[in-house]
Amino acid sequence: MKIVKIEAIPFAIPYVKPLRFASGEVHTAEHVLVKIHTDDGVVGVGEAPPRPFTYGETQAGIVAVIETVFAPQLIGLTLLDRERAQQRLQRTVGNPAAKSAIDIALWDALGRTLNQSVTALLGGYTDRLRVSHMLGFEEPAKMVAEAERMIETHGIRTFKVKVGRQPYTLDTVVVRTLRERFGNEIELYVDGNRGWSATEALQAMREMSDLGLSFAEELCPADDVLGRRWLVDHLDIPFVADESVTTPAEVTREILGGSATALSIKCARTGFTQSQRVHHLAEGLGLEVVMGNQIDGQLGTMCTAVFGAAFSLTSRRAAELSNFLDMSDDLLTDPLEIHDGELVVRQGAGLSVEIDESKLTHYRLDQ
């Protein structure tokens, strides 16, 4: 079970349509595939999606930090040295996606070695999650049409609507149009990606107060400390912290400081080990949790499903598992499928996925 090699492979796969939101837009999945090799011949995998406009990481930066900093520190450890591996990863600041992909690959390799699914190793609560679909910036009619397609094709009935534009009425009109079209047939919540001020956010939320929204996520910047606390105090639905809670310590700060009342857990940001710690904090504090999506490919999506299905708390709400549907291709030999609004977690060893090496050769950028 000794780690003998760590690879960081950059690849790029175009999206059929870009996803647009307040902090940027994504046209191509320029991700990094991480492979961890052991002396037993086992290979664990993880996917790092860089989000420079959110966490400051780039594809080249992820490859560089893994090859020059993390790999030399981890080679020689065993798959059971998880706490030692975490200590070595965490003494380097930042780099959440790079750290998370390594951590996920370690868990995948461990599951493959033990012939157990990672979901079972983490908690094994269920084998499926309901799916929430993200609707990015578009004209109201196009967003309604996309929601109709998701309902008809995949049975998805929970939608996260991206908001945060100026004027805020561009977004409130969209949310109202969706509710008027589908009524109580669908669940809706909004995500501002820090695009509004606290004042704009409250005005927008008051305009949408009759629309039965489940959550509001990151409507204004976390560093607007007083404004955000004021906003949370005036809302009557849970306020989800996402980009502002990249570590367990930040979770504690945001919740105890009154700047949020619920959490988004993203395995692409906190891996499995740190996500466990965030989950335990949420459980102890009585917080609602949403399993979020960092515009992941199918490998990253399966990681989110694997973790979300492991615990009761993380499986209560629909998880954001559908962004891969907008990619033109992917790396898995057996593509993921969403039926009747659910994604089933496979029960094979590790993450229960395999990389199509011919596709990786086609899309990788380092050869």
Side-chain angles (χ1 to χ4, degrees):
M1 285 198 279
K2 183 178 290 186
I3 300 167
V4 296
K5 181 181 178 182
I6 299 177
E7 295 182 85
I9 304 169
F11 67 93
I13 299 176
Y15 281 88
V16 175
K17 70 177 186 64
L19 179 64
R20 297 184 174 91
F21 41 94
S23 58
E25 56 185 64
V26 178
H27 295 259
T28 302
E30 297 177 331
H31 295 180
V32 178
L33 178 69
V34 174
K35 292 185 175 183
I36 291 184
H37 301 254
T38 74
D39 59 353
D40 301 315
V42 171
V43 181
V45 296
E47 181 178 9
R51 296 291 169 257
F53 40 75
T54 305
Y55 306 113
E57 290 175 288
T58 64
Q59 187 182 55
I62 288 174
V63 172
V65 76
I66 290 175
E67 291 181 343
T68 64
V69 179
F70 295 142
Q73 294 177 353
L74 298 179
I75 289 173
L77 296 181
T78 76
L79 300 176
L80 296 177
D81 294 330
R82 287 173 292 172
E83 190 64 19
R84 193 176 302 172
Q86 278 297 308
Q87 187 270 332
R88 295 183 183 183
L89 290 171
Q90 298 308 324
R91 67 188 179 192
T92 299
V93 299
N95 299 284
K99 294 174 182 176
S100 298
I102 289 174
D103 182 66
I104 286 168
L106 286 170
W107 278 90
D108 183 37
L110 180 62
R112 291 171 186 267
T113 300
L114 300 176
N115 197 29
Q116 295 290 326
S117 73
V118 174
T119 292
L121 293 176
L122 289 167
Y125 180 74
T126 185
D127 68 346
R128 66 197 60 220
L129 294 177
R130 289 186 298 119
V131 176
S132 170
H133 182 69
M134 217 182 288
L135 296 172
F137 292 162
E138 260 299 353
E139 299 172 4
K142 290 184 178 180
M143 294 176 75
V144 167
E146 183 174 353
E148 288 174 337
R149 179 170 60 88
M150 288 296 148
I151 292 171
E152 293 168 4
T153 306
H154 302 287
I156 297 171
R157 295 186 179 277
T158 300
F159 295 94
K160 172 177 179 173
V161 185
K162 291 293 188 178
V163 297
R165 290 179 287 184
Q166 281 82 27
Y168 65 82
T169 51
L170 288 171
D171 297 321
T172 57
V173 166
V174 167
V175 179
R176 186 167 298 279
T177 301
L178 287 163
R179 180 59 77 202
E180 289 175 350
R181 166 62 182 84
F182 298 105
N184 293 328
E185 181 184 343
I186 63 172
E187 179 181 3
L188 290 173
Y189 59 108
V190 294
D191 176 13
N193 290 113
R194 314 175 312 282
W196 287 328
S197 68
T199 303
E200 289 171 326
L202 185 58
Q203 290 173 328
M205 293 305 295
R206 284 176 171 167
E207 278 201 18
M208 297 186 289
S209 62
D210 61 328
L211 300 182
L213 300 179
S214 299
F215 297 108
E217 181 179 313
E218 295 286 12
L219 298 180
C220 63
D223 55 7
D224 180 10
V225 178
L226 294 180
R228 181 135 147 172
R229 290 177 184 171
W230 171 82
L231 173 62
V232 171
D233 282 343
H234 284 80
L235 294 180
D236 58 1
I237 60 174
F239 187 97
V240 178
D242 179 12
E243 300 98 314
S244 58
V245 288
T246 63
T247 66
E250 290 177 350
V251 170
T252 305
R253 180 199 66 200
E254 290 298 293
I255 298 301
L256 297 187
S259 296
T261 54
L263 299 174
S264 174
I265 294 179
K266 290 183 176 176
C267 294
R269 178 177 65 213
T270 43
F272 290 148
T273 302
Q274 294 295 317
S275 292
Q276 273 187 310
R277 295 171 185 178
V278 172
H279 163 268
H280 296 336
L281 275 172
E283 197 172 45
L285 293 168
L287 305 174
E288 288 204 71
V289 167
V290 175
M291 291 303 302
N293 189 302
Q294 203 155 297
I295 320 179
D296 303 310
Q298 292 192 28
L299 175 55
T301 297
M302 180 54 80
C303 293
T304 300
V306 160
F307 186 88
F311 306 100
S312 171
L313 178 60
T314 51
S315 60
R316 291 177 191 168
R317 292 281 182 176
E320 296 162 10
L321 301 171
S322 63
N323 278 110
F324 72 87
L325 296 172
D326 290 327
M327 291 177 64
S328 60
D329 201 355
D330 213 287
L331 298 181
L332 300 190
T333 57
D334 187 9
L336 304 186
E337 296 181 349
I338 299 170
H339 296 293
D340 299 322
E342 294 183 328
L343 192 150
V344 174
V345 178
R346 300 164 182 170
Q347 297 304 303
L351 296 172
S352 307
V353 297
E354 300 296 336
I355 300 299
D356 185 323
E357 294 296 332
S358 64
K359 287 189 176 184
L360 179 59
T361 298
H362 177 72
Y363 290 115
R364 67 187 297 167
L365 302 174
D366 59 347
Q367 291 184 347

